[in-house]
Amino acid sequence: MISQRPAAKIESEEPALRLAVLIDADNAQATVIEGLLAEIARFGEATVRRIYGDFTSPASASWKRVLQRYAIKPVQQFAYTTGKNATDSTLIIDAMDLLYTRNFDGFCLITSDSDFTGLAMRLREEGLTVLGFGERKTPEAFRNACHKFVFTEVLRPGTAAEPVAQPLKTKRGKKSSPAQAPAEETDYKPLFPKEFLITALEQSIDDAGWTHLSTFGNYLTKLQPDFDSRLYGYRKLSDLVKAKTDLFVTEERQAEGANQKVLYIRAK
């Protein structure tokens, strides 16, 4: 006899996106995989997890150690000739095959390669959400082709969470103090984008000069897909606006029809 007990439902404000996660092993680091999957879980469910590369190569040894643990399906692609990357073509073909199944709401492209700019644009044309993940060296064209782009440096274990306001000089002949040692695979940290934040705030406020934090955050991402408060030492956007008392005034208000408060901000 089949039980008549109704199935438990997971309640959330928005339904989770069904995401296809495609990793370019030639242009991504295995050390960020745990933080990467946790970040993707914020946006939706990683329904498909695939990684593309030549796993007979010693360069892919770090990935082979984590594939089974995180249930990532490897797609082996031998190099047809020296200097040519067959992995890119295989990933793009697979992405288009998955696109035409119409089973996904979005794609996560994990790569620092600008060759996937066209793929990101094509997926967007189909009305799908495109999330990009790559290192600071990722070309701007690919970053801007995504709805949201996350620098994988902020996903590494033990990433410092101290606010940074000045670039680090590590050119030959110039020294930096131990406290200013550059992070792995990057020789600088970004200046705080004061003017950009103020401009975005002015575009998102209501007639009274206030805006909801989520409205402000959404506008920031539309203007600059790779904006991330973690790059400036703040875990969340709310932490950033609360800390920058010279720029913002914050106010918590009771949410209409809910027993919780929401954060509103305006320019100081």
Side-chain angles (χ1 to χ4, degrees):
M1 180 178 178
I2 301 176
S3 172
Q4 299 299 314
R5 185 176 62 182
K9 297 177 65 177
I10 300 176
E11 297 182 357
S12 60
E13 294 181 1
E14 297 181 0
L17 298 177
R18 289 172 53 86
L19 301 172
V21 178
L22 308 181
I23 305 172
D24 175 11
D26 297 333
N27 288 285
Q29 301 296 322
T31 54
V32 302
I33 187 61
E34 185 173 357
L36 174 67
L37 293 177
E39 185 75 9
I40 291 173
R42 296 176 54 225
F43 298 97
E45 178 187 358
T47 307
V48 165
R49 301 179 183 182
R50 297 181 186 176
I51 185 169
Y52 302 79
D54 182 1
F55 298 102
T56 64
S57 169
S60 300
S62 59
W63 276 113
K64 289 192 289 186
R65 290 192 291 266
V66 301
L67 297 184
Q68 185 174 4
R69 178 180 177 187
Y70 293 102
I72 303 173
K73 178 182 178 181
V75 179
Q76 171 64 30
Q77 178 59 59
F78 293 101
Y80 294 130
T81 183
T82 303
K84 299 294 184 180
N85 193 345
T87 299
D88 293 4
S89 299
T90 304
L91 191 156
I92 292 172
I93 291 171
D94 256 16
M96 298 308 293
D97 287 343
L98 293 171
L99 166 65
Y100 291 123
T101 66
R102 306 299 178 187
N103 289 332
F104 301 94
D105 303 304
F107 282 73
C108 299
L109 304 178
I110 294 83
T111 182
S112 301
D113 191 343
S114 63
D115 290 347
F116 294 101
T117 302
L119 173 61
M121 295 173 65
R122 181 69 180 88
L123 295 172
R124 288 190 66 153
E125 289 174 358
E126 290 292 325
L128 299 181
T129 298
V130 181
L131 306 173
F133 300 83
E135 299 172 355
R136 290 301 301 263
K137 65 183 180 181
T138 305
E140 188 176 16
F142 176 62
R143 303 199 313 257
N144 289 335
C146 302
H147 287 96
K148 175 67 177 176
F149 187 89
V150 177
F151 290 112
T152 53
E153 282 84 354
V154 303
L155 305 178
R156 290 195 178 102
T159 300
E162 293 298 324
V164 176
Q166 298 296 328
L168 299 175
K169 296 180 180 180
T170 58
K171 300 289 186 180
R172 183 177 299 177
K174 296 184 179 180
K175 297 181 180 180
S176 59
S177 65
Q180 293 179 319
E184 183 181 350
E185 297 183 8
T186 183
D187 61 354
Y188 73 101
K189 289 188 178 182
L191 289 169
F192 187 77
K194 177 179 177 179
E195 293 184 3
F196 168 67
L197 291 171
I198 294 300
T199 300
L201 180 61
E202 291 174 349
Q203 298 296 322
S204 59
I205 57 176
D206 58 21
D207 293 339
W210 290 89
T211 184
H212 189 284
L213 180 68
S214 63
T215 301
F216 179 50
N218 289 337
Y219 201 84
L220 288 173
T221 301
K222 288 179 181 179
L223 290 178
Q224 189 173 310
D226 59 5
F227 177 82
D228 194 326
S229 60
R230 290 170 295 188
L231 291 172
Y232 312 102
Y234 301 96
R235 190 170 63 88
K236 297 184 296 184
L237 180 60
S238 59
D239 295 334
L240 185 152
V241 298
K242 289 178 180 178
K244 294 295 179 179
T245 54
D246 59 324
L247 299 179
F248 307 108
V249 176
T250 61
E251 180 180 293
E252 289 189 344
R253 303 179 186 177
Q254 189 70 36
E256 185 176 353
N259 187 26
Q260 62 180 7
K261 292 186 177 181
V262 293
L263 188 66
Y264 280 78
I265 63 173
R266 66 172 175 82
K268 188 165 184 179

